[in-house]
Amino acid sequence: MTRPRHIAVIDVGKTNAKLVVVDAESGVELAVRSTPNRVVSNGPYPHYDVDVLWHFFLNSLTEFAETPGFDAISVTAHGAAAALLGENGLAMPVIDYEHIYPDAVRQDYAQLRPDFAETGSPYLAGGLNVGAQIHYQKTQFPALFAGVKTVLTYAQYWVWRLTGTAVNEVTSLGCHTDLWNPRDGEYSSLVDKLELRPLLPPVRSAFDHIGDLLAPLTTQIGINRPVPVFCGIHDSNASLLPHLMTRTSPFSVVSTGTWVVLFAVGGHLDQLDQQRDTLANVDAYGKAVPSARFMGGREFDLLTGGNAVAPDAETLERVIRDQVMILPGFAKGTGPYPNRAANWPNGEPGNPAERTAAASLYAAMMTAISLELIGSAGATIIEGPFSRNALYLSALRNLTQREVMSLPGSTGTSLGAALLAGATIPAPTNTGNVQPLDAAFDTYAKAWRDHLA
């Protein structure tokens, strides 16, 4: 197969979905279209509107077929999702992982799921464990589940729609699903407890060419040549991949979006705390990586009301001096403080710039705590929206006392997925040496930790 010139990336995030065309030679994004990833409530349970996304992807591929053009397709998608196929498409809707199950269902699942020592996967809220999703679907909707013939990881669902070939992939299986044993590199004992083994297609490498775009789709899009489609990858692992290819351990990558997902390459797998949302993710090469998560992007939006206003120096000085701070957490059941209720210990500000300052400092402190929990060392690389938040970066520099590097491209996920199809890693475009805040912030940070103690 010849190396593609341009690679189209289907990038399905929890909040938004994108179609990105990446130049294979430079790794630069040439064209982008984005749409909200809607959750709809009709049907048996809240679920993603995959048909709307599918039409968006096809329309975007058609729009980009000539300019800038593309010669291959790769896929990346958020974790905690699985597609249950029947004879002719979905047998059941793709469930929203934030849907909360009845207590009796959760209690039954808790008795089934493997120990943390087997999977490196903590027991999470709602459907954040894919095993919990499938248990819920199987036990609460048995007539629908009886029609399930194939269970696919989410990125590979889109590969199936593009190629007609069903496969699974290890980064999506290894992201807190309860279905994967990262130590042995095989399915966990839960697969047989849920009687899923006959429904699971072969596991393929994220780098594999799975097949070519189906002929009816090439006709619809307006392309008269074969278009190879690659296996695809879990989105946070896509952000990690370029660094695995170019950096030497130890280092950490912080992928920011709706979730802040942290990877400590060279960190401590034997010190993970399942009660504090630390876990073992599995990278594109099948290796377990100490990881942590908190819903930082969602919390930042809630704290700022979606109206972030960068604070000026006087506002920031006032926020730090008066210890205007938020304590975790807004996203119950997740992050390093999963059982705490958020509060403003010194009063809640009404000024948008003060709220943004407090939210930025909060995100930095939650990041620093999470990095400590997974044994982070070396440089910390920030990707996604928080890479453009100067206050967050400076606070994190104080808190870790290590180099903090910002990669302010729109997202690392699209580039990581494009690498699977042969793209080149671009030269680093970090913002240089992040400057720490002054000593007054150190007092602020100590007070924040003291509140939690």
Side-chain angles (χ1 to χ4, degrees):
M1 185 187 307
T2 59
R3 180 183 176 188
R5 189 169 63 96
H6 297 158
I7 301 158
V9 175
I10 288 175
D11 187 340
V12 187
K14 180 61 168 72
T15 304
N16 296 292
K18 299 189 302 179
L19 194 291
V20 182
V21 178
V22 176
D23 180 75
E25 184 65 33
S26 66
V28 171
E29 294 183 1
L30 301 176
V32 182
R33 293 289 179 270
S34 178
T35 191
N37 185 8
R38 296 195 311 131
V39 174
V40 292
S41 56
N42 62 301
Y45 43 69
H47 58 277
Y48 305 116
D49 198 337
V50 296
D51 289 333
V52 166
L53 292 183
W54 180 241
H55 290 303
F56 164 76
F57 293 138
L58 291 183
N59 289 340
S60 300
L61 289 169
T62 301
E63 179 183 355
F64 294 151
E66 289 296 327
T67 305
F70 56 88
D71 317 292
I73 298 175
S74 188
V75 181
T76 182
H78 67 78
L84 279 54
L85 302 184
E87 294 286 0
N88 299 296
L90 288 173
M92 304 180 74
V94 180
I95 192 169
D96 174 19
Y97 64 62
E98 295 187 75
H99 179 50
I100 301 299
Y101 311 142
D103 288 344
V105 174
R106 285 187 59 80
Q107 290 166 10
D108 288 345
Y109 180 68
Q111 300 303 311
L112 286 175
R113 64 186 302 272
D115 289 340
F116 184 74
E118 179 183 345
T119 63
S121 176
Y123 191 19
L124 301 173
L128 284 167
N129 302 113
V130 169
Q133 294 179 22
I134 296 173
H135 170 259
Y136 169 76
Q137 291 168 304
K138 181 176 183 178
T139 59
Q140 303 305 297
F141 307 97
L144 287 174
F145 195 87
V148 175
K149 305 299 181 185
T150 307
V151 175
L152 293 181
T153 42
Y154 195 39
Q156 288 63 54
Y157 164 69
W158 298 104
V159 171
W160 172 79
R161 292 198 73 158
L162 294 165
T163 67
T165 300
V167 299
N168 279 336
E169 185 274 328
V170 71
T171 62
S172 293
L173 287 168
C175 66
H176 52 82
T177 65
D178 287 346
L179 299 171
W180 191 252
N181 181 329
R183 182 190 61 232
D184 296 341
E186 61 183 31
Y187 285 114
S188 75
S189 57
L190 181 64
V191 165
D192 292 319
K193 289 180 181 178
L194 292 177
E195 301 176 321
L196 298 180
R197 197 171 293 271
L199 306 179
L200 295 168
V203 177
R204 299 285 296 274
S205 166
F207 295 88
D208 283 355
H209 169 211
I210 298 304
D212 291 344
L213 189 63
L214 292 167
L217 296 178
T218 60
T219 300
Q220 179 178 346
I221 292 167
I223 295 176
N224 59 4
R225 62 187 181 278
V227 179
V229 179
F230 290 80
C231 186
I233 189 169
H234 169 232
D235 58 1
S236 298
N237 270 286
S239 293
L240 176 63
L241 182 57
H243 306 290
L244 291 175
M245 290 178 158
T246 58
R247 299 183 188 275
T248 301
S249 174
F251 64 88
S252 297
V253 174
V254 180
S255 173
T256 69
T258 302
W259 288 93
V260 173
V261 181
L262 308 95
F263 299 91
V265 177
H268 303 315
L269 280 168
D270 58 346
Q271 297 178 19
L272 299 177
D273 184 349
Q274 62 178 314
Q275 303 301 323
R276 303 191 70 182
D277 218 347
T278 67
L279 63 152
N281 267 289
V282 179
D283 68 25
Y285 303 103
K287 183 177 180 180
V289 182
S291 306
R293 326 160 323 130
F294 66 99
M295 218 168 186
R298 173 74 57 79
E299 291 183 320
F300 186 85
D301 287 343
L302 288 170
L303 287 166
T304 62
N307 180 35
V309 176
D312 58 22
E314 182 180 347
T315 300
L316 177 58
E317 180 182 1
R318 183 170 63 252
V319 165
I320 292 176
R321 181 193 66 225
D322 296 344
Q323 297 192 355
V324 179
M325 62 179 61
I326 178 69
L327 301 177
F330 278 91
K332 294 289 289 181
T334 67
Y337 302 99
N339 300 316
R340 286 190 56 93
N343 71 292
W344 299 85
N346 300 319
E348 182 172 353
N351 182 310
E354 291 182 348
R355 294 185 70 89
T356 302
S360 300
L361 298 176
Y362 167 81
M365 288 183 287
M366 290 286 280
T367 300
I369 291 287
S370 298
L371 287 170
E372 290 174 15
L373 290 173
I374 57 178
S376 173
T380 303
I381 301 103
I382 313 297
E383 296 195 334
F386 282 175
S387 71
R388 300 185 290 275
N389 184 324
L391 177 54
Y392 166 87
L393 297 170
S394 292
L396 188 61
R397 176 69 176 80
N398 279 63
L399 293 162
T400 62
Q401 294 295 299
R402 298 194 306 273
E403 182 182 13
V404 172
M405 300 172 62
S406 165
L407 299 184
S410 62
T411 173
T413 58
S414 298
L415 171 62
L419 294 177
L420 306 176
T424 298
I425 301 172
T429 56
N430 69 75
T431 57
N433 187 29
V434 172
Q435 295 301 310
L437 300 174
D438 63 30
F441 173 67
D442 297 334
T443 302
Y444 177 103
K446 182 179 184 303
W448 189 87
R449 287 184 183 247
D450 288 345
H451 278 296
L452 296 176

